[in-house]
Amino acid sequence: MLQVKVNDKYNFEVDKQGDKLVINEETISPDVKQLAATAYHIINNLQSYNVEVVSFDRAEKKAEIKVNNNIYSISAKDQFDILLDKLGLSSLNATKVSEIKAPMPGMVLKVFVNEGMEVKKNDNLFILEAMKMENIIKAPADVIVKTVKIKPGDKVEKGQILMQF
């Protein structure tokens, strides 16, 4: 069973039973023909639909489809996603970061970001020299830099707050 949301507005419960679909407890038997890798022709209740998959993200369970030249955004949740929501664990996948602390004592060699910059996960933030080794510190998540408390040449101690997001 899937919970499907269309355009962040309409909700459906969808289940597949053999070659039939059960949508909101109503069983339908559409005639589906695949025309190309992402194009389909569907006939249901004497109505014809031309369907094209515009984008599909299996990991996020999201898609955009074009039905008779109208584009719809679709997101789905399976039984595991629903269970995680009920347990309050669904937001654990999103990394929440508010600051970067010095992982070890050392000296800042170079800073790659400025206050107000938007950085993506794994973008370089700064270089920290410790024990004669240069360590590139990367962003742990997609963030916007609020404050940069370091500049090249600064000596830092382990646990010192270097940047805030």
Side-chain angles (χ1 to χ4, degrees):
M1 194 270 300
L2 293 173
Q3 285 184 348
V4 177
K5 188 170 228 168
V6 179
N7 292 343
D8 289 324
K9 195 172 183 179
Y10 304 104
N11 295 306
F12 301 93
E13 284 194 4
V14 179
D15 201 5
K16 189 172 182 184
Q17 297 174 347
D19 61 346
K20 296 181 181 186
L21 285 176
V22 179
I23 302 175
N24 292 344
E25 299 179 6
E26 181 183 333
T27 302
I28 63 170
S29 299
D31 180 25
V32 180
K33 297 293 180 209
Q34 187 168 359
L35 305 174
T38 60
Y40 299 85
H41 185 257
I42 300 172
I43 297 175
N44 187 54
N45 288 341
L46 302 176
Q47 291 186 326
S48 175
Y49 303 94
N50 292 311
V51 179
E52 178 186 348
V53 179
V54 177
S55 67
F56 180 67
D57 185 345
R58 184 179 298 276
E60 292 289 322
K61 297 181 184 107
K62 293 185 177 188
E64 276 192 351
I65 62 170
K66 187 188 293 186
V67 180
N68 294 343
N69 289 323
N70 294 316
I71 294 181
Y72 299 94
S73 296
I74 298 173
S75 61
K77 291 184 180 183
D78 61 16
Q79 70 267 23
F80 303 111
D81 297 322
I82 295 166
L83 179 60
L84 288 173
D85 284 348
K86 285 182 183 175
L87 295 173
L89 301 173
S90 60
S91 63
L92 294 181
N93 290 339
T95 306
K96 305 230 183 332
V97 179
S98 61
E99 59 193 20
I100 290 280
K101 294 181 181 178
M104 62 196 87
M107 185 171 71
V108 177
L109 295 182
K110 187 170 187 173
V111 179
F112 298 108
V113 296
N114 297 316
E115 293 180 4
M117 277 183 71
E118 190 173 315
V119 294
K120 300 288 181 196
K121 183 176 182 173
N122 293 324
D123 282 356
N124 296 338
L125 297 175
F126 58 93
I127 298 176
L128 182 66
E129 181 183 53
M131 298 183 291
K132 298 184 182 179
M133 291 183 60
E134 292 183 8
N135 302 287
I136 298 175
I137 308 300
K138 297 181 178 283
D142 293 354
V143 292
I144 295 176
V145 179
K146 285 187 185 168
T147 56
V148 177
K149 298 183 174 217
I150 53 173
K151 62 186 182 309
D154 285 355
K155 292 190 185 322
V156 298
E157 296 298 320
K158 180 178 180 174
Q160 179 180 337
I161 296 172
L162 306 178
M163 289 186 184
Q164 293 179 317
F165 308 109

